[in-house]
Amino acid sequence: MATTRSAHTVWEGNLLEGNGVVTFDSSGAIAEQPVTWAARTQEANGKTSPEELIAAAHSSCFSMAFSHALAGAGTPPSKLVTSADVTFQPGEGITGIHITVEGEVPGLDEAGFVAAAENAKVNCPVSQALKAVPITLSAKLA
């Protein structure tokens, strides 16, 4: 069954001096978040950005895909800690995403862990949606 999740942003003013508020409509699990151009291109100062939201989506999707693949191979993880760093260059756009994962997986060696992580990187739905952007990976067992 397909699902659709929704969010919306109310933006006021021009790009450089304006500001917006992102609302997570589907779940309400995250409080409204302020967003500005300055927060996107300089210091966050308590505001989010599209890139931070993509990083959150990518790290959680990758973790789910990786966990599922490991369990399917008979080596379910005890723990995965995943981060995603999304790089934005004004005038160019999103220029890269780097995923870092460290895991505790009983019965799996380092080479097997890295190979499974590479597979999850390629096949997680968010990676698939973002495949126009270079995605790199660092993976190691804890």
Side-chain angles (χ1 to χ4, degrees):
M1 175 182 354
T3 59
T4 301
R5 301 293 184 249
S6 302
H8 77 275
T9 300
V10 176
W11 186 268
E12 296 176 347
N14 65 32
L15 175 63
L16 298 180
E17 298 164 1
N19 62 76
V21 176
V22 179
T23 302
F24 299 84
D25 299 323
S26 299
S27 67
I30 302 170
E32 291 183 336
Q33 296 296 311
V35 61
T36 64
W37 178 253
R40 187 176 194 183
T41 60
Q42 300 166 30
E43 294 298 318
N45 292 321
K47 298 173 180 70
T48 195
S49 68
E51 292 71 31
E52 184 177 40
L53 298 170
I54 291 169
H58 207 170
S59 67
S60 60
C61 183
F62 173 89
S63 294
M64 289 182 206
F66 193 20
S67 173
H68 181 66
L70 290 168
T75 54
S78 300
K79 183 178 184 179
L80 298 173
V81 178
T82 306
S83 63
D85 299 309
V86 177
T87 302
F88 174 76
Q89 178 65 46
E92 291 182 46
I94 295 173
T95 57
I97 301 169
H98 184 74
I99 298 170
T100 303
V101 62
E102 186 172 317
E104 298 172 11
V105 186
L108 189 63
D109 65 11
E110 190 81 22
F113 183 80
V114 171
E118 282 289 344
N119 186 51
K121 178 193 85 169
V122 170
N123 292 307
C124 98
V126 171
S127 289
Q128 288 291 307
L130 299 172
K131 61 185 169 185
V133 176
I135 302 171
T136 56
L137 173 72
S138 297
K140 67 178 184 175
L141 289 171

